[in-house]
């Protein structure tokens, strides 16, 4: 998947479709290839592009699960494992704020 032409076509396809279309694309890919689209996207060498496309496909697959994952990932949960007090160290406040501000009540 390192071919620039093929990669450009993939980026164009995935970034110019709605989430419902991407979910249908994932299902069709699985039926045709008998493997998840995620596994093929993981082969992209540029980690920023790979992470963006995998996140996009995750949102298409299960939007609310994706939001929950991102919300959880932006918080410091080390206190849950060590019984330490919650002091906010390590919390990605910018990501946390972005998720909370950009989502409607029903999404949260």
């Amino acid at each position: 998947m390192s071919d620039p032409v093929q990669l450009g076509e993939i980026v164009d396809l995935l970034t110019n479709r709605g989430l419902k279309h991407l979910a249908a694309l994932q299902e069709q890919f699985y039926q045709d290839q008998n493997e998840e689209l995620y596994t093929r996207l993981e082969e992209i060498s540029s980690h920023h592009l790979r992470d963006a496309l995998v996140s996009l496909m995750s949102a298409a697959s299960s939007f609310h699960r994706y939001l929950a994952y991102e919300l959880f990932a932006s918080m410091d949960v080390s206190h849950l494992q060590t019984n330490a007090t919650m002091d906010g160290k390590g919390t990605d406040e910018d990501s946390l704020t972005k998720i909370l501000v950009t989502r409607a009540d029903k999404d949260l």
Side-chain angles (χ1 to χ4, degrees):
M1 192 172 292
S2 60
D3 180 16
V5 175
Q6 183 182 13
L7 187 57
E9 292 173 0
I10 291 169
V11 170
D12 186 51
L13 175 72
L14 297 182
T15 58
N16 288 308
R17 304 292 189 272
L19 293 179
K20 288 182 181 180
H21 189 173
L22 292 176
L25 177 71
Q26 285 186 95
E27 181 63 32
Q28 188 62 47
F29 185 87
Y30 184 77
Q31 290 175 4
D32 292 346
Q33 303 295 320
N34 201 27
E35 71 176 312
E36 296 290 336
L37 185 54
Y38 295 101
T39 58
R40 294 297 281 282
L41 291 175
E42 291 288 334
E43 296 173 8
I44 297 173
S45 59
S46 169
H47 72 278
H48 293 297
L49 181 58
R50 178 186 60 236
D51 292 348
L53 294 177
V54 168
S55 293
L56 179 63
M57 297 310 291
S58 296
S61 176
S62 177
F63 185 66
H64 292 99
R65 185 176 351 165
Y66 169 74
L67 289 178
Y69 172 80
E70 289 297 321
L71 186 60
F72 185 78
S74 69
M75 297 187 312
D76 176 19
V77 292
S78 60
H79 68 284
L80 296 175
Q81 297 168 350
T82 63
N83 293 326
T85 59
M86 187 169 165
D87 58 7
K89 290 182 182 174
T91 300
D92 184 353
E93 291 192 26
D94 290 338
S95 295
L96 185 60
T97 301
K98 183 190 294 183
I99 291 168
L100 293 174
V101 170
T102 61
R103 301 288 24 117
D105 289 340
K106 67 180 183 175
D107 287 341
L108 297 174

